[in-house]
Amino acid sequence: VQLMQPGLNIVYGKTYELTFSAMTLNNSNSAFEVTVERNGGDWAKYLLPKVVNVTGAVNTYSFQFTMPQNTD
């Protein structure tokens, strides 16, 4: 799954928080990678990849990062 937020400026030095809830169907387990990165070009990563293990129960996940590169 790739989610995009067009028009969002991420400012150098500011701290951001990515929060979402997720669950799987049929009580299965699944793992996926979460990252925040530039859309195109060198695909610079602003939030380094994190693995999320999702189960059949709804869980909320939250990750903070400080923008390490020039405003994008």
Side-chain angles (χ1 to χ4, degrees):
V1 175
Q2 180 182 22
L3 304 175
M4 296 170 44
Q5 183 74 41
L8 176 67
N9 288 327
I10 303 178
V11 178
Y12 171 78
K14 289 203 172 206
T15 299
Y16 296 87
E17 186 169 20
L18 171 65
T19 302
F20 61 92
S21 297
M23 67 177 277
T24 61
L25 299 178
N26 303 322
N27 290 321
S28 61
N29 295 329
S30 185
F32 65 94
E33 185 178 273
V34 175
T35 189
V36 176
E37 62 188 12
R38 178 178 293 130
N39 183 20
D42 63 359
W43 298 93
K45 290 185 175 20
Y46 308 142
L47 168 66
L48 295 178
K50 310 289 183 193
V51 174
V52 175
N53 294 302
V54 180
T55 66
V58 175
N59 286 299
T60 300
Y61 304 89
S62 187
F63 302 98
Q64 284 191 348
F65 68 97
T66 300
M67 178 59 163
Q69 299 188 14
N70 291 333
T71 298
D72 189 9

